[in-house]
Each structure stands twice: as C-alpha cells, then as structure tokens.
Amino acid sequence: MTNKEMQFAYKVKLALDANLDNLSDDTLQSLAAARRVALARKKQAPIHVRVQQPVLAGALGGAMMSSEKPSWWNRLGVAAPLLLGIVLFAGIYQHEHAKRVSYLADIDAAVLSDELPLSAYLDHGFNAYLAEKGQ
C-alpha cells in the first residue's frame, strides 16, 4: 500500500469508529461482507516477511544461530577467554594459598621461638589470663 492509500484507510477507519452507533444493520452487514472478501484476498497473497537473525554477544553469537558449523577461529574466540579465566583463577588461588601458608608459618615460628613452653598454650587458665591482660 502506498502512503496515500494508508492515509485514506486511516480516515475511513476514524469515520466508521466515530459513527459506529449510527450505522444501519444493512451497512454493518455490507461492511462485514467486504471485510470477509478483503481477508480472503489477503490470505491468497503471498506474505514476504524479512526476519533478521538475532546475534548473541561474543565470537560464536552469529555462528551458533546459523545452521553451519562454527569455524575453529570462532571456537578459539570462545575458548581463549575461558582458558584465560581458568588460568587467572588458578593463579589467584595459588597466591592466596601461599599467603595463608606464610601466615601460618609465621605463627608457628612465633610460638616455637617464644620463651613459654608449649603446654602453656594448652592451659585454659592461661588463655583466660591472656584475654584479661589483652583488655
């Protein structure tokens, strides 16, 4: 439909909507018959619909939605960040583990180099004494 035809159809629709209560039964039946004919013609005409393919974020977005198999380059685009993330998390874990071991080693060294015997740390009364002294 052209722009003029669309404007004309819109004006007819507005006029019919405004005077809907004033239309006679013969006019309503005539309009209903014209609508059925228009719908029958519309169904016979082929409908061409342009559908755009949705694209996901990332390297495999377009390739995963299509029927063709993704190329090794696209697979590398997904695998490389995944592998980098795994290596990064493993590095962070190793670093935090090394810090914890170092912290525990410092505590062990302080306990072993202290003048108190190890049995003093096991005495519950000594722990209470340390708690009172710390306040």
Side-chain angles (χ1 to χ4, degrees), residues 31-119:
L31 287 171
R35 184 176 189 276
R36 285 191 296 273
V37 170
L39 288 175
R41 287 183 187 163
K42 183 68 174 173
K43 289 181 182 178
Q44 292 174 356
I47 299 173
H48 299 284
V49 178
R50 181 177 176 194
V51 178
Q52 292 192 0
Q53 181 177 359
V55 178
L56 301 174
L60 276 180
M64 291 304 285
M65 297 302 291
S66 67
S67 60
E68 62 188 52
K69 192 174 181 182
S71 69
W72 68 273
W73 193 245
N74 287 341
R75 289 181 185 176
L76 181 65
V78 169
L82 210 60
L83 186 61
L84 182 65
I86 291 170
V87 168
L88 179 67
F89 286 129
I92 290 172
Y93 174 78
Q94 288 294 333
H95 175 73
E96 291 298 321
H97 183 68
K99 276 180 35 178
R100 184 166 187 262
V101 167
S102 174
Y103 174 73
L104 291 175
D106 289 344
I107 290 175
D108 288 345
V111 167
L112 292 174
S113 66
D114 197 8
E115 295 177 4
L116 290 174
L118 291 177
S119 61

Side-chain angles (χ1 to χ4, degrees), residues 6-24:
M6 290 293 286
Q7 287 177 353
F8 176 72
Y10 183 71
K11 287 179 183 178
V12 169
K13 178 193 172 298
L14 288 178
L16 288 173
D17 285 344
N19 296 317
L20 185 62
D21 296 332
N22 300 334
L23 294 176
S24 67

